Amino acid sequence: MFSGKRRKTETADTSAIVVAAGNASRMGGLDKQFLCIGGIPVLIRSLQKFETCPSVCEVVVVTKEESIPLLHQLTVEYQLQKIRTIVTGGKTRQQSVEKGLREISAQSRLVAIHDGARPFVRPEDIEACIALARETGAATLGVPVKDTIKQIDGNGKIIATPDRQSLYLTQTPQVFFAADYKKAMEKALALAQDFTDDCQLLENLGIPVRMVKGSYSNIKITTPEDLAIAAGLLSCQSGWEEEVESCFE
C-alpha cells in the first residue's frame, strides 16, 4: 500500500509549488506563515527544506499579494537560491495551486505541491515521495491514523467505524508527473470542480496515487494550539526550549 523506502536520488527534475495564501481564519487573523518558531518564520522553514533537496530544481511560492514584498526580502535574507518566482494566490487552495502551476519550468518532469504551513517536513521524506512518484506517477506523504475513526450522519449518529489499518492522514508534499497534473487541473477547471486535496485531482482523472509513510512531526500549523505543538517539536529536535512569537508586527 505504501512505501517507506529511501531511494537513490536521481536528477533535479522536480518543481515545487509551496502554497501560503490562506486567509488565516482559524488563526484569529494572524498570518501563520510569518509567525516565528525559534526565530525563523514558518514559511521560511518550509522553503529551507526544499532548498536542501537534490531532486528539487526550483520553487514557486504562492502567497497573498500584500505578503510578496516581505517574502522577497526574506528570501534574500535567508539566501534561498531555488525560488523561481513568487505569485499571488487565488480564493481557494486549488486556485492558488493553479496559479503556481502556470509558473513552473516546462522542463520539469514532476511537480511537488506543499503547504507552506508544514515547516517540519523532513527532506528525506520529500525525496522519498519524489522517488516513488518517478516510478508510479503520483505519490503523497501520509501517516497511519492513531485513533479510531467514526463516520456519522447529519444528526451526529455513528453509522460506521472504518478499519483504521487502512486509514492514513494525508500530508504534503504530494508529487505528480507534471503533465498528468496539468491535465487533471484542466479537467477540474472545465467542470468547475474545486478540491481541497491535490490527490483528488489525480483520482478524478483515474490516476492512482501511492502513499509514502512520513513522519507525525510533519504537522500543519492551522490553529493557535498548533503553535504550541510546533514549539514543543522544535524543542525536542534542538534540545533547548524555543518560543513562538510574532516577528512582524
Side-chain angles (χ1 to χ4, degrees), residues 59-169:
V59 178
V60 173
V61 187
V62 187
T63 190
K64 294 183 290 188
E65 184 175 5
E66 60 268 28
S67 299
I68 290 178
L70 174 58
L71 189 50
H72 274 298
Q73 174 187 330
L74 291 172
T75 57
V76 173
E77 179 181 342
Y78 286 93
Q79 300 180 345
L80 299 176
Q81 302 299 316
K82 291 186 179 180
I83 304 297
R84 177 181 175 90
T85 189
I86 303 170
V87 297
T88 304
K91 293 182 179 179
T92 68
R93 186 183 189 281
Q94 181 175 299
Q95 290 174 6
S96 292
V97 175
E98 194 271 332
K99 289 192 173 188
L101 192 63
R102 299 176 195 171
E103 304 297 330
I104 68 171
S105 171
Q107 286 72 46
S108 292
R109 182 186 180 200
L110 296 154
V111 58
I113 318 297
H114 186 65
D115 298 320
R118 290 188 186 270
F120 295 113
V121 64
R122 301 185 302 194
E124 60 265 33
D125 289 340
I126 298 173
E127 287 289 339
C129 198
I130 291 172
L132 187 59
R134 281 198 191 102
E135 295 179 12
T136 65
T140 181
L141 281 184
V143 289
V145 299
K146 296 180 179 180
D147 301 317
T148 298
I149 303 298
K150 298 291 185 180
Q151 181 181 355
I152 63 173
D153 63 16
N155 296 317
K157 176 186 174 182
I158 295 173
I159 58 175
T161 304
D163 179 6
R164 70 180 182 184
Q165 296 299 317
S166 65
L167 297 177
Y168 266 62
L169 297 174

